[in-house]
Amino acid sequence: MPQPDTHLKRVFADAFKQLGRGRKRFHPDAASIEVKFYPYAGLHHTIRVRAGRVFVRISDLLQSAPPEVIRSLAFLLVARLLTRKAPRSEERIYRAYAFSPQILRASDLARKQRGRKLVSSAIGRVYDLEKLFSRLNRRYFDGQIDKPTLTWSRRRARSILGHHDAAHDTITISKTLDSKDVPEWFVEYILFHEMLHIKHPARIINGRRYYHTAAFRAEEQRYPGYEQAQEWLDRVVRKRHELRARAA
Ligand SMILES: [Zn+2]
């Protein structure tokens, strides 16, 4: 079972505290640590610091790992970041799990299935999502949005133009927009909307999940191309209806 976020943050904060003991080192508290599972192609994890915040991505192959394995991994990653030696005992615990036949098999499979495909699919035939993302991030978010996996959809889904998957930290944009017939500013708007989902995570109120919160909507409406994009959206939707009517 996936472990709750707050627990993961605490595990990492604890590793910082223990490994940085007795030194004037970096001691982030749980609130400034972000831990996510990530669909890397293989058993791979990353840790980095930006503007005083710690960002950890753990291979989703460890999503159901026992708590002591995650704890050991936290020690290994924090040690790597602080350029300190990780305790031998933690290394042993992690390796015993990471090199178990079950995890090796899952890791092989992930490499085959995810391979390069996922990495290169941000570059479409017309538009490069990475480039658009960087520009939007600079212009509207002070570069503060941690880059998710960006990918064009494999199928030409017409009904959903963009989607943000928080669990896998992935933004998928419909392949239908990767076309010379679609202006760049419109693709940018769709990507901007999905980036807002990263900035404004869904809120749960009375057991219901709200994705487009008031703060989300307010910021979206401040986007300079908002009105123009809405008009284009209306037109795209109308055109689709006409097509469907003709086909019927
Ligand atoms: Zn949305």
Side-chain angles (χ1 to χ4, degrees), residues 193-194 197 212 216:
H193 177 101
E194 302 310 327
H197 280 302
H212 301 114
F216 180 107

Side-chain angles (χ1 to χ4, degrees), residues 43-157:
L43 197 62
H44 178 69
H45 327 283
T46 58
I47 185 166
R48 61 200 182 98
V49 179
R50 219 166 78 188
R53 291 185 64 80
V54 181
F55 297 93
V56 181
R57 282 175 172 182
I58 300 175
S59 163
D60 64 353
L61 299 174
L62 293 192
Q63 218 150 13
S64 47
E68 68 268 21
V69 172
I70 298 295
R71 202 186 100 93
S72 295
L73 176 63
F75 270 91
L76 299 187
L77 289 177
V78 171
R80 193 206 285 169
L81 187 76
L82 300 177
T83 60
R84 292 202 55 175
K85 257 196 140 121
R88 292 287 285 274
S89 54
E90 306 296 349
E91 200 156 318
R92 220 173 298 132
I93 293 171
Y94 174 75
R95 291 172 76 91
Y97 186 79
F99 296 119
S100 65
Q102 170 206 351
I103 294 299
L104 284 179
R105 219 176 304 127
S107 170
D108 272 352
L109 201 64
R111 206 169 298 129
K112 262 181 231 146
Q113 289 174 344
R114 295 168 180 173
R116 295 190 168 274
K117 237 183 247 166
L118 202 72
V119 179
S120 61
S121 55
I123 301 171
R125 267 199 251 158
V126 181
Y127 298 117
D128 178 354
L129 293 175
E130 303 256 346
K131 222 187 266 171
L132 299 183
F133 175 91
S134 304
R135 194 156 71 200
L136 288 165
N137 202 12
R138 234 181 301 125
R139 216 176 270 171
Y140 302 107
F141 300 98
D142 287 325
Q144 292 298 303
I145 304 282
D146 204 30
K147 195 171 79 184
T149 300
L150 297 162
T151 179
W152 292 101
S153 66
R154 292 198 192 170
R155 291 194 197 150
R156 311 190 126 256

